[in-house]
Amino acid sequence: MNSMKRLFKDYYLFLAAAAVLLVLWEWLVRTDRIPSFILPPPSGILVSLYENREVLLDHCWATLKETILGFLIAAVAGVSLAVAMFFVKSVEKMVYPAVLISQTIPIIALSPIFVLWFGYSIWSKVAVTVLIAFFPIVVSTYDGLNRHDKDYVDLLRSMGAKRWQIFKKVQLPMALPSFMSGIKLAAVFSVVGATIGEWLGASEGLGYYSRRMSGSLNAAGVFSAIFLLTLLGMCLFGAAALAEKRMFKWKENRKDV
């Protein structure tokens, strides 16, 4: 209950602005100032969500699987590569430019190639998700590892600490805030990646559903899929933020002990 009160206190201005915007949106469509086939009213989107809840739930589950799987692969690969670049400078010089170059290539241009390689299976969508989510994780983790306090490192070295001990005691803990920022970004980008993959080639998922509704000029169906994708991204971001809060709270409790 206290958490809800604190949440409302922090974001009541946003909630008030959102409520006003929704009322204005509904009024503009209901008074025919905006055609409903271009911009459906919020009530129409809710009706579409309710009437197609079973179909949407199946598609949402498909998108969630692709998102989670791609996010986990990107997290493991991104952290591993960041640590390797941090410890071995030759790896950094060889790989880091390639990581940056990979983000200059339009994802929408690579998606058909992934479909060609993996077919219309889940792995073509996972590949797009990994490519999008990988970058913020590897960059944020690598930058976090390089932003350690050198005074602490020098102190541990003077006491005879080895490199792995310095990494464990100083460099890794100091990199956690930056790492978690990358995780929160990647959680949202994973939803985007899965949606792009579904839009270009899939038989299920919210991206596929929105494309199908767009082809039949069902604006309410398109917006219902967008609403669920937005909700999914917010939930994943919230889960990452909660994990970050619990992690740092646990670290503070250990220090007190």
Side-chain angles (χ1 to χ4, degrees):
M1 193 66 179
N2 291 331
S3 299
M4 292 298 295
K5 289 182 178 179
R6 186 163 55 255
L7 186 66
F8 179 79
K9 183 179 179 180
D10 292 340
Y11 297 102
Y12 73 94
L13 288 176
F14 165 76
L15 295 174
V20 171
L21 179 62
L22 289 174
V23 171
L24 179 62
W25 179 359
E26 183 80 22
W27 176 77
L28 288 173
V29 178
R30 291 293 180 183
T31 55
D32 294 328
R33 285 171 170 78
I34 299 178
S36 60
F37 64 87
I38 294 178
L39 185 66
S43 59
I45 298 173
L46 291 176
V47 170
S48 179
L49 285 168
Y50 178 76
E51 291 179 346
N52 302 287
R53 59 189 181 277
E54 294 183 0
V55 175
L56 285 169
L57 185 61
D58 291 337
H59 286 298
C60 188
W61 174 242
T63 301
L64 181 61
K65 286 191 295 184
E66 297 159 2
T67 300
I68 295 296
L69 187 56
F71 171 77
L72 291 176
I73 294 174
V76 173
V79 172
S80 300
L81 183 59
V83 173
M85 289 193 301
F86 177 71
F87 275 101
V88 185
K89 291 303 177 183
S90 59
V91 174
E92 177 205 355
K93 293 178 180 179
M94 179 177 60
V95 176
Y96 199 63
V99 173
L100 297 177
I101 292 171
S102 69
Q103 297 306 301
T104 65
I105 304 173
I107 300 299
I108 197 169
L110 291 176
S111 297
I113 297 177
F114 291 143
V115 173
L116 181 65
W117 289 348
F118 301 106
Y120 289 98
S121 67
I122 188 175
W123 295 109
S124 61
K125 275 73 73 178
V126 169
V128 178
T129 304
V130 170
L131 188 60
I132 291 181
F134 175 78
F135 182 76
I137 295 176
V138 66
V139 171
S140 63
T141 304
Y142 178 70
D143 288 346
L145 289 172
N146 281 289
R147 289 175 183 170
H148 57 267
D149 194 324
K150 293 183 179 180
D151 291 336
Y152 286 109
V153 174
D154 293 339
L155 176 62
L156 288 179
R157 282 176 178 169
S158 67
M159 298 173 66
K162 296 181 180 179
R163 189 172 185 183
W164 173 251
Q165 293 173 319
I166 295 173
F167 176 78
K168 182 180 178 182
K169 296 294 184 179
V170 176
Q171 294 163 339
L172 182 60
M174 288 187 173
L176 286 178
S178 182
F179 164 72
M180 290 307 302
S181 295
I183 287 293
K184 288 187 288 186
L185 286 174
V188 177
F189 290 166
S190 295
V191 179
V192 177
T195 306
I196 292 174
E198 291 169 352
W199 184 272
L200 295 175
S203 58
E204 59 180 354
L206 291 174
Y208 163 77
Y209 179 84
S210 64
R211 181 169 64 87
R212 196 179 70 184
M213 292 298 102
S214 178
S216 60
L217 301 179
N218 186 342
V222 174
F223 274 84
S224 63
I226 292 174
F227 172 79
L228 289 176
L229 286 169
T230 303
L231 185 63
L232 182 60
M234 291 175 61
C235 289
L236 292 176
F237 182 89
L242 181 61
E244 179 185 30
K245 184 177 179 181
R246 293 288 177 87
M247 180 186 298
F248 291 120
K249 186 176 180 180
W250 177 74
K251 281 182 61 181
E252 290 176 359
N253 291 337
R254 285 199 64 182
K255 287 181 180 179
D256 293 339
V257 174

